[in-house]
Structure formats: structure tokens, C-alpha cells
Amino acid sequence: MSTRRAVLNCFRRHQRFVLTTHIKPDGDALGSQLALRRLLQKMGRDVYLINSDPPPSNLTWMPGIEQVEVFNGSLAQRERIDQADVICVLDTNALDRLGDLAPAVEASRARKLLIDHHTAPEDWFDLQYVRDTASSTGELVYELVCAVDPNLIDHELATALYVAIMTDTGSFRFNTVTPTVHRIVADLLERGGLSTEAIHSAIFDTRTPESMRLLGLALRNLQLRYDGKVAYMVLSRRMFNETGASTEDTEGFINHLLSIRGVRVALLFTEIEKGVKISFRSKGDYHVNEWARAFGGGGHRNAAGAFVENAALDALVDAVLAAAPRYLPQLETPSAGNASGTLSSEDASYLSALLHQKSQASSTAS
């Protein structure tokens, strides 16, 4: 694992930097990316921001967001990536999470730097600044900024870091929020002169009528399993068509499930054209990252995700739920009935086929 000093030496010794992050970038991804750009530019470095996907609509107001290019495969973009001294990947540690950018990043001769707070980073990075107990990647970028010079924090840099930390901590309600996190945020508020109400409103008070109609359908059909410890909702393509909503409109849906009394784990199944996206959220010691990894995904202990291609929605839901006690032994209760962790022969067969499919895909990719 690389030290902070090694990363700072990398910043000082190299001139041309490319910063990127994961597909469907969120507040932590973009906030960390924009904050690191601001730091490196203040150090006199040439910085190029490029992602596979555009920012979500509720983050397009962020200062500097117009500097983030969306990869289209052009010669000019490929040349910038090829000519970089350093490619820094933020908030994700897996090549396939870079989307269409992955082949160009992998082929570049630049040094590969990872700044991230997820578990189990892949081994193709030359340098890593990683701590999986950090609240966010933004927290790690803040540490790097302060190691250079905390007086470099201006309104733009503070805004980016506040968005990163605030969004990835669920507005400061997750267990990753420590006294240190509160001290960091206090410093950002003081140095950046931020309006927290304006930032929160710009991010969260942007729901469309279509989004609310979709949420109504989803809540009408929410289900509880494992003595009420697990709650889940299913968003089918039919529901999207019926309401006119988009997948972007589902942001925050899963938090409604975690607000139910007694629920420790929440799942959201979202059917899209190429498969099913599964979002996992949990509280306390109900860790969901290994459960998500079993279906080809991963993430944090209390927030993870997976995507299963060409999946039959109902069968996948049954298989994921039936597999839960393998990864959460707290759910193995005598009264759980069919949800006690014993897979039916149909679910076991389907789960085996899914995992075999994921294994084959990984072998082909490598």
C-alpha cells in the first residue's frame, strides 16, 4: 500500500494528469475528481478530466463540472490519455467500472494512481492511497490537500469536497461519520464559506413528477422478508414505461426502505434493457458487500451493488433473497419460513447458473 508521501511525490514529479472515475458517477466520485483537479491546478499541473458517463442532472451545477469530458473515443481524447504522465482513478478500484474508458486507461503507459475507499482493490495500480474505513473518497482527497497546504482550500474546492463527503455519508447519518469527519466538514464550511442549505437543495430537491409516480408504484409493492429485517422493492421496465421515469429518477429510493422500523437490510432491483441492477444497503453489522460480490458486484460493508446481465427479474429476486443467510448469518431464524436460507432446488440451480456465468465472464475478460 502506498504512503501519502509517495502520492504527494507523484504530484510534485509529474506534469500531465488524467483524472477519471466510475460509470454513472455520484457525488463522491465527481466531488473528489473536481477537488483533486483544483489542487493539482493550484500546483501548476496540467489536468484533464474524462469519464465514461455524464454527470447526473442534480450535480451539473457544481463548480468546474463543465471541465469533465464524456469519453467518445475521439483521437484527441485518446491522445490526452496516452500522453498523460499519471492517470488517477478515484472512487473505484476495478477496471470494468471505468466503462468505455477502460481499454484506453489500461493501454496507457502512464502511472496508474488509485484514490479510493472501497475494499479489495485490483492489482494493476502503481500507486494507491486507499483506506476502506474512510467515509468517502472525498475524505482522502481532503487529507492530500491538507498535506500540500490547507490554505489552498477555496470556495470551489470546499464545495467539491463537501458534496463528496455529504452524499457518501447519507447526509452524515452512516457509521462512517466519525469526529474526524465532522472536523473536516467544519473546516470546509469555514474556509469555503459554504451554504449547506443551498447545496443540499440543489442535490436532493430536484425530483420530477415521473420520479414520484415511480416511487409510489414501488412503495405499493414493497416486500418484507426474514422477520421484517430485509425489505426490498422491484422496479420493472413496465413500471418505467408506465410512469415515464428514467433510472436516474430512482436516486434515493432505497433509503425509504431503510427507514422502516426493524429493517436492517434494503434491496432495490432495477430492470433495465441489458439486465438487472441490484442495490444493497444495510445498517450496523449487517454487511452486504460479500453478498453483492457473489452476484458479480461489490462495494462497502453497508452499501454495495451488482449488475446481472440478461437476468430473468423474478427468478433473480428469488435467488438473491434466498442466498442472503449465506452472507448474513443474523438472518437465520427458525421463523423465517421459506426465507430461512435454504434455497429451493430452482433457486439453487438459478444461482449456480448466474455465478457460473459471472465466472466465465471474468475469465474471458482476463
Side-chain angles (χ1 to χ4, degrees), residues 4-13 17 35-36 38-45 115 129 140-153 157 191:
R4 188 182 308 174
R5 179 179 298 177
V7 175
L8 296 177
N9 285 339
C10 177
F11 290 168
R12 295 183 178 111
R13 291 175 180 173
F17 289 78
L36 185 57
R38 189 72 170 159
L39 169 64
L40 290 170
Q41 287 186 329
K42 285 174 175 283
M43 295 176 69
R45 302 300 179 258
I115 303 176
Y129 190 57
L140 300 177
V141 174
Y142 172 86
E143 293 171 358
L144 295 171
V145 172
C146 289
V148 175
D149 183 357
N151 292 318
L152 294 177
I153 298 175
L157 206 159
R191 293 180 186 274

Side-chain angles (χ1 to χ4, degrees), residues 124-325:
W124 52 274
F125 297 98
D126 300 300
L127 285 172
Q128 297 183 22
Y129 190 57
V130 173
R131 191 171 68 250
D132 64 14
T133 58
S135 67
S136 56
T137 300
E139 180 179 342
L140 300 177
V141 174
Y142 172 86
E143 293 171 358
L144 295 171
V145 172
C146 289
V148 175
D149 183 357
N151 292 318
L152 294 177
I153 298 175
D154 56 11
H155 179 79
E156 182 173 335
L157 206 159
T159 299
L161 288 179
Y162 181 82
V163 169
I165 296 171
M166 186 265 287
T167 55
D168 234 41
T169 58
S171 298
F172 308 108
R173 72 177 186 272
F174 296 156
N175 281 339
T176 53
V177 178
T178 62
T180 297
V181 170
H182 284 297
R183 284 190 285 268
I184 290 171
V185 170
D187 189 41
L188 295 176
L189 296 180
E190 186 173 21
R191 293 180 186 274
L194 306 182
S195 169
T196 56
E197 181 180 3
I199 292 174
H200 194 278
S201 179
I203 295 174
F204 297 111
D205 298 340
T206 59
R207 289 215 176 276
T208 65
E210 293 80 8
S211 171
M212 297 305 290
R213 294 187 186 103
L214 181 64
L215 177 60
L217 283 180
L219 290 173
R220 191 182 309 162
N221 296 293
L222 76 86
Q223 300 289 327
L224 298 176
R225 297 282 291 272
Y226 295 98
D227 287 341
K229 293 185 178 71
V230 176
Y232 70 95
M233 294 190 300
V234 177
L235 302 176
S236 67
R237 292 183 66 190
R238 178 191 58 78
M239 294 166 68
F240 284 102
N241 292 335
E242 181 178 334
T243 59
S246 69
T247 54
E248 190 174 305
D249 287 321
T250 66
E251 183 68 30
F253 277 19
I254 198 167
N255 296 328
H256 291 280
L257 298 178
L258 278 181
S259 70
I260 299 172
R261 183 174 56 195
V263 168
R264 308 299 296 172
V265 179
L267 301 175
L268 180 65
F269 296 86
T270 305
E271 184 183 34
I272 61 177
E273 184 177 355
K274 295 182 179 179
V276 178
K277 176 185 175 184
I278 316 166
S279 298
F280 301 76
R281 298 291 185 274
S282 65
K283 298 176 181 178
D285 60 354
Y286 284 72
H287 298 164
V288 294
N289 51 325
E290 291 300 327
W291 188 9
R293 188 169 290 118
F295 289 87
H300 307 295
R301 294 177 179 88
N302 298 111
F307 179 72
V308 181
E309 294 182 3
N310 304 317
L313 181 59
D314 291 341
L316 177 63
V317 170
D318 289 342
V320 171
L321 287 165

